Structures are given as C-alpha cells and as structure tokens.
Amino acid sequence: MAEGDGFQQEMAAISRYYTERFLPTSPWASLLNGHPYLCARQRQRRLREALIACGVRTPEALREMSVLDVGCGSGSNLAWLVELGADPARLTGVDLVADRIEVARSRFANIRFVAGDFLASDVGGPFEMVMMFAVLSSVTNPELKRRLMEKALGLLRPGGIFFFYDVVSRRPVPGTAAYQRLTFAELEGYFAPRKVHYRRRDLLRRGVAERLLPRFGVTVAELVQATRLFNIDGTFAYVRG
C-alpha cells in the first residue's frame, strides 16, 4: 500500500471518530457546561500573552498578520482574533470534518475555511501565525504526525509565531486507537532547533471544574486552576519561525 493511501485511510478513520463518536456526545457542545468556557478563557489568555511576547501589541499590528488555524473546528479561535483586531480576510481555517467547516462558514462568512485533509489541501500561505490545537493527540501514526507538523511549520513565515496546544506528558502514556498523548521530547523534536516557550499543566481537570463552577463560579475555578494542583497535562506552547 502506498504511503499516501495509508494516510488517507487514517484521516478517514479520524473523521469518522469525530463525526460519529466524539462530537455527538461531546461535553463541549453544551451551553450549560462551564468547563469549555473555562478552557476557552485560558486558551485566549495564553494566545494573547504569546502575541504580546512576540511584539504584537496593538490591533493594528494584528490586523497585518495572516493566520492559519489547523484543525479549526467551528472557527471560534479565528473569530476571537477578529475581536482582537485581526483582518478576517487574512484568516484561514482548515478542518478534516466537513460538518464543522459548514458551521464555521455559516457563522463567520468573512473568514476563509477549507474542508478536508490538511496534507492534501491548498490553504495558501505562508502565514505570519499558525495555530494548532489538540490535533496531534488525535493522530496515532507517528509518520503522519511528522508530516502534519512539517507542512504546518513549512507554511510559517520566518519570524512568525506557531501557537500550539495539546496534552503533553514527560513520559509516554498508553493511548487508544483514536487518541495518544504526546511527550515533550516528541514535541521538541518537531520544533527543533527552535526554542519552545511552554505553559505546562495549564487546564483544570474537568471533574474538579464541574464541582467548583456551579457553587463558586469562574473566578474561583480560575484561581484553583492557577495553582496547577488539579490540572491535566494540557500544554500551551509557542515558537518563533
């Protein structure tokens, strides 16, 4: 079997998993579940901090940036960048699950969205910023992960920002057919020789959040999250191109 055929089969399996199993039962779909909101606030906070650390300090500077979101889902990350000042005409999202892209297009008509396999898609570029959130943990084929990262990094302009989130552990953790944590050594191998700036164990465990949020609200939950005592191995990171 050709390598490309194997990758296509794996991509199809990932798409089926999200379409048939993950998304229909996902707790992220509930308006009443406060944990997704808590996670979104933290993601937005870390993205803002990364932009500022890289010298993007005004809406005007952000408006000049072209951005690619790999695994963009329904487009909320790109939409938040528009709120900060980004030009929607310079934003592109790509996602394997066509239904999510249809939702994104219906919500954010001025942003370009591409449905399909990222490796086979023409997303344009290069870009001043590339984002990738919780993509690699859904890919269990090591060569496919490497190819995805190679393409994403290859679309980043020199001096650009690559903003990343996933579940990353110090040591390998047994996974499943649909999910596999990364290790820091693996992640640093993808980014080498670039320096990786980390925010480790950055998200409160869902069970702890669901106990705190109804009684004490988001502020208390965020204070507990800031201690990192009850957090998952969720890691935000950024590198410069």
Side-chain angles (χ1 to χ4, degrees):
M1 179 184 295
E3 182 182 79
D5 293 338
F7 287 171
Q8 288 174 7
Q9 289 186 6
E10 180 133 350
M11 289 293 194
I14 294 169
S15 181
R16 284 196 303 272
Y17 170 74
Y18 273 89
T19 302
E20 298 172 7
R21 295 181 58 192
F22 181 83
L23 291 173
T25 60
S26 174
W28 297 85
S30 172
L31 185 64
L32 298 178
N33 186 347
H35 184 242
Y37 176 64
L38 185 70
C39 294
R41 281 171 62 106
Q42 190 73 333
R43 181 172 65 245
Q44 292 171 353
R45 181 179 293 114
R46 297 313 184 205
L47 178 54
R48 175 181 171 274
E49 289 172 352
L51 287 168
I52 292 172
C54 294
V56 183
R57 298 172 177 270
T58 65
E60 291 76 19
L62 181 58
R63 190 166 183 82
E64 296 301 313
M65 296 181 68
S66 56
V67 181
L68 172 67
D69 188 2
V70 181
C72 67
S74 56
S76 60
N77 296 316
L78 292 171
W80 186 69
L81 287 178
V82 174
E83 291 293 318
L84 291 182
D87 179 358
R90 297 175 66 85
L91 308 183
T92 300
V94 57
D95 200 276
L96 186 61
V97 182
D99 288 351
R100 301 179 85 190
I101 290 295
E102 288 305 311
V103 171
R105 288 171 176 161
S106 69
R107 290 175 173 173
F108 314 114
N110 294 327
I111 299 174
R112 179 184 179 226
F113 291 103
V114 178
D117 175 359
F118 173 53
L119 292 180
S121 298
D122 180 6
V123 295
F127 297 89
E128 275 80 33
M129 181 161 66
V130 175
M131 304 189 295
M132 183 180 284
F133 299 104
V135 171
L136 294 190
S137 54
S138 299
V139 181
T140 57
N141 182 318
E143 179 62 15
L144 179 53
K145 284 194 284 188
R146 185 186 66 80
R147 292 279 298 277
L148 290 167
M149 285 298 292
E150 280 185 352
K151 179 169 182 178
L153 284 165
L155 291 170
L156 187 66
R157 287 189 185 278
I161 306 166
F162 196 113
F163 190 72
F164 180 90
Y165 169 80
D166 222 313
V167 180
V168 189
S169 304
R170 287 182 295 174
R171 298 181 179 87
V173 176
T176 68
Y179 179 86
Q180 177 65 60
R181 291 187 184 192
L182 286 77
T183 65
F184 286 105
E186 177 187 0
L187 184 60
E188 288 170 4
Y190 296 137
F191 285 127
R194 305 167 183 86
K195 176 179 174 59
V196 185
H197 303 266
Y198 286 117
R199 288 283 191 172
R200 306 187 188 201
R201 291 180 58 83
D202 217 33
L203 292 179
L204 191 61
R205 291 182 184 278
R206 190 173 75 198
V208 176
E210 289 173 349
R211 290 195 294 272
L212 289 174
L213 286 164
R215 295 185 62 188
F216 303 108
V218 171
T219 300
V220 170
E222 287 184 323
L223 289 172
V224 174
Q225 179 175 259
T227 70
R228 304 189 182 186
L229 295 174
F230 306 101
N231 289 7
I232 66 169
D233 288 333
T235 294
F236 293 97
Y238 74 88
V239 301
R240 300 302 303 266

